[in-house]
């Protein structure tokens, strides 16, 4: 259950339960995904699919930052608190978190070469490609004409509605994998998704 406390001080401060902002980010993601079907204009639909991909990775990274901060405050894992806080303060990359946090804190590797780990890594790679676009400076040659400096936008042009729904599914399944590595039983995944993402049971 999410809650918010409003404190009036010299500087206004809003305090909330740790899962609140993760719930908000997943709510944004679901709203984007579930409305993409209603968009008939292909260009606008593609733009929204792109936003879904961006938001899915953002929601997962926010979850990782907050969930692991909660975890290291527990007696079982509090010996890792200084390590985690340092990596967050040092602004370590998402790749670093994926490759190191579960191994260091839970004592088990997150498999990024198969299964949901690989699916999320692929999603993150697509997000990075779309977000950090680099000009390939292509040349188009047609009779009597050469056009230089063109950009290959194939990865953007190929985006489909299915990519939006996949982004949400991968994000949710990835959270379940983190829960599993934490030692939470599969029967509790629906409750954990409701708690951390606001997803209601089917």
């Amino acid at each position: 259950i999410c809650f918010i406390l409003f404190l009036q001080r010299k500087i206004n401060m809003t305090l909330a339960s740790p899962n609140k902002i993760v719930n908000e980010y997943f709510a944004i993601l679901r709203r984007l995904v579930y409305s993409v079907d209603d968009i008939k204009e292909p260009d606008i639909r593609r733009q929204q699919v792109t936003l879904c991909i961006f938001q899915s990775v953002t929601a997962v990274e926010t979850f990782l930052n907050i969930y692991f901060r909660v975890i290291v405050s527990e007696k079982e894992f509090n010996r890792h608190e200084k390590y985690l806080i340092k990596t967050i303060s040092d602004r370590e990359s998402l790749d670093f978190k994926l490759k190191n946090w579960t191994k260091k804190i839970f004592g088990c590797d997150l498999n990024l070469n198969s299964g949901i780990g690989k699916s999320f890594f692929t999603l993150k790679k697509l997000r990075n490609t779309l977000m950090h676009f680099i000009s390939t400076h292509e040349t188009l040659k047609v009779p009597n004409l050469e056009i230089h400096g063109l950009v290959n936008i194939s990865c953007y042009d190929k985006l489909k509605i299915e990519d939006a729904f996949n982004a949400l599914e991968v994000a949710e399944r990835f959270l379940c994998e983190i829960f599993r590595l934490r030692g939470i039983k599969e029967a509790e995944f629906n409750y954990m998704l409701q708690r951390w993402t606001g997803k209601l049971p089917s």
Side-chain angles (χ1 to χ4, degrees):
I1 298 174
C2 299
F3 65 85
I4 305 177
L5 299 175
F6 297 94
L7 300 181
Q8 295 296 325
R9 296 182 178 174
K10 290 181 180 179
I11 300 176
N12 288 337
M13 181 183 295
T14 304
L15 300 179
S17 57
N19 58 335
K20 174 62 179 176
I21 196 66
V22 182
N23 270 253
E24 292 293 311
Y25 283 9
F26 269 92
I28 294 168
L29 174 57
R30 289 193 187 98
R31 186 167 63 251
L32 288 169
V33 170
Y34 294 151
S35 63
V36 73
D37 261 333
D38 299 328
I39 301 173
K40 304 306 178 187
E41 218 296 311
D43 286 344
I44 298 176
R45 186 168 59 232
R46 191 179 299 109
Q47 291 165 13
Q48 181 130 331
V49 172
T50 303
L51 290 176
C52 292
I53 292 167
F54 289 172
Q55 184 63 18
S56 64
V57 178
T58 297
V60 168
E61 183 165 18
T62 302
F63 163 79
L64 290 174
N65 290 340
I66 296 176
Y67 185 71
F68 276 93
R69 184 65 187 88
V70 170
I71 288 293
V72 297
S73 68
E74 298 175 3
K75 184 177 180 180
E76 183 181 356
F77 301 106
N78 63 11
R79 65 187 181 277
H80 302 297
E81 188 169 15
K82 287 183 179 179
Y83 161 79
L84 185 84
I85 291 173
K86 184 178 187 307
T87 60
I88 291 174
S89 298
D90 291 346
R91 297 188 178 276
E92 295 287 2
S93 68
L94 178 54
D95 276 8
F96 178 92
K97 297 169 188 176
L98 294 173
K99 293 174 182 176
N100 293 279
W101 279 6
T102 61
K103 183 176 182 178
K104 176 74 173 178
I105 297 168
F106 295 154
C108 50
D109 284 320
L110 171 63
N111 187 351
L112 299 173
N113 297 313
S114 64
I116 187 57
K118 181 178 181 180
S119 296
F120 180 72
F121 209 77
T122 300
L123 178 65
K124 183 185 70 68
K125 184 177 179 181
L126 175 59
R127 187 283 304 260
N128 290 347
T129 300
L130 294 168
M131 183 172 282
H132 307 295
F133 233 103
I134 298 173
S135 176
T136 51
H137 229 65
E138 306 287 341
T139 297
L140 176 66
K141 296 181 180 181
V142 294
N144 303 316
L145 180 65
E146 283 191 10
I147 303 175
H148 301 283
L150 299 176
V151 179
N152 183 351
I153 63 166
S154 300
C155 65
Y156 176 73
D157 188 57
K158 292 176 181 176
L159 292 176
K160 301 288 187 294
I161 289 176
E162 293 76 19
D163 294 312
F165 285 89
N166 178 68
L168 173 58
E169 180 186 356
V170 167
E172 291 175 345
R173 287 176 55 215
F174 186 79
L175 264 60
C176 289
E177 179 64 7
I178 299 299
F179 299 145
R180 186 186 71 78
L181 294 174
R182 165 66 178 82
I184 295 170
K185 297 184 183 303
E186 188 173 345
E188 299 178 55
F189 285 177
N190 285 340
Y191 164 73
M192 293 299 291
L193 282 177
Q194 182 175 0
R195 178 182 175 188
W196 280 98
T197 76
K199 181 179 183 180
L200 296 175
S202 302

